[in-house]
């Protein structure tokens, strides 16, 4: 079990299933994390949860104060392994948006990925239609590395898919705050700073196309 300032990051438990079914049946959450059409399905969620063992590190975020489940976080590695390239992802339940939990979790994920797992770089992708999430990733150090123009059809318009990355040397040169601290001037999370596994995370285990938000 890991800890941030306000959260426990612990293992998935069978009793967590109902939370995940609710999370992935929320239209607003799905809208931000799937590259496919929005189609909530309890059965698909159950199938995805069966594949958690294939993810390098999957954690449920739980409030220290109340014990309520806030969301999840994951770290995975991109093949081939010699490239030392990892992906990270989070999803936050809508009731907890705008409270800084996305920033808190992302800072921990980045720190753990470099300091403990020894990754050389981290990669993610995010919808251009979610400027709050883009600002968050920029805040924790991610750089823009590419853009797939009009890649996703989202609610009547084409949306760009932004690819971002962070190198270990950039993290160590820029990191001046303890990873567990939640900065007071963190970007707003009025948009769903939920995110999910990229190609090698929960998506690949159950054909769910989650992307980072």
């Amino acid at each position: 079990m890991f800890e941030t300032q306000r959260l426990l990051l612990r293992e998935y438990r069978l009793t967590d299933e109902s939370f995940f079914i609710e999370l992935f049946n929320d239209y607003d959450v799905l809208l931000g994390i799937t590259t496919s059409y929005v189609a909530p399905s309890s059965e698909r969620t159950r199938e995805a949860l069966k594949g958690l063992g294939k993810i390098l590190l999957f954690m449920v975020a739980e409030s220290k104060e109340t014990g309520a489940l806030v969301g999840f976080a994951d770290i995975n590695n991109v093949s081939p392994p010699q490239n030392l390239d990892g992906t990270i992802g989070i999803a936050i339940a809508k009731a907890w948006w705008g409270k800084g939990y996305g920033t808190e979790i992302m800072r921990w994920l980045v720190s753990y990925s470099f300091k403990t797992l020894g990754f050389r770089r981290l990669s993610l992708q995010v919808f251009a239609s979610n400027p709050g999430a883009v600002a968050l990733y920029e805040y924790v150090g991610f750089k823009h590395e590419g853009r797939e123009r009009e890649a996703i059809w989202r609610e009547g318009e084409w949306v760009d898919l932004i690819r971002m990355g962070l190198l270990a040397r950039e993290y160590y040169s820029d990191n001046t705050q303890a990873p567990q601290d939640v900065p007071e001037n963190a970007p707003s999370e009025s948009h769903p700073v939920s995110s999910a596994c990229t190609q090698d995370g929960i998506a690949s285990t159950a054909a769910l196309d989650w992307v980072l938000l």
Side-chain angles (χ1 to χ4, degrees), residues 124 131-144 162 164 187:
L124 62 82
V134 175
L136 167 61
Y137 302 138
E138 291 173 340
Y139 185 85
V140 298
F142 280 82
K143 313 296 184 184
H144 290 249
I162 300 171
M164 304 180 74

Side-chain angles (χ1 to χ4, degrees), residues 66-196:
T66 66
L69 301 188
V70 172
F72 75 78
D74 73 84
I75 303 172
N76 215 358
N77 59 305
V78 179
S79 298
Q82 67 266 25
N83 292 337
L84 299 178
D85 190 355
T87 61
I88 59 178
I90 60 174
I92 307 295
K94 191 160 55 178
W96 302 94
W97 290 358
K99 302 181 186 299
Y101 288 106
T103 303
E104 187 170 335
I105 295 173
M106 283 295 294
R107 291 183 61 118
W108 185 91
L109 288 174
V110 170
S111 174
Y112 189 82
S113 294
F114 289 137
K115 294 182 177 180
T116 301
L117 298 181
F119 283 122
R120 182 186 59 87
R121 61 167 285 129
L122 293 173
S123 303
L124 62 82
Q125 51 189 15
V126 55
F127 297 143
S129 56
N130 193 342
V134 175
L136 167 61
Y137 302 138
E138 291 173 340
Y139 185 85
V140 298
F142 280 82
K143 313 296 184 184
H144 290 249
E145 295 185 331
R147 191 180 191 103
E148 294 184 33
R149 296 175 299 158
E150 300 183 4
I152 306 297
W153 180 251
R154 178 66 72 244
E155 294 201 306
E157 64 178 3
W158 290 105
V159 174
D160 294 355
L161 189 62
I162 300 171
R163 298 188 181 278
M164 304 180 74
L166 175 61
L167 300 178
R169 59 178 170 81
E170 294 171 333
Y171 169 76
Y172 286 116
S173 64
D174 295 340
N175 184 40
T176 58
Q177 294 175 301
Q180 69 270 21
D181 291 340
V182 181
E184 295 180 359
N185 59 339
S188 169
E189 294 176 11
S190 57
H191 284 68
V193 183
S194 46
S195 60

Side-chain angles (χ1 to χ4, degrees), residues 19-32:
F19 168 78
F20 279 89
I21 289 176
E22 181 178 356
L23 180 69
F24 293 126
N25 274 276
D26 187 310
Y27 179 83
D28 292 329
V29 172
L30 280 180
L31 185 65

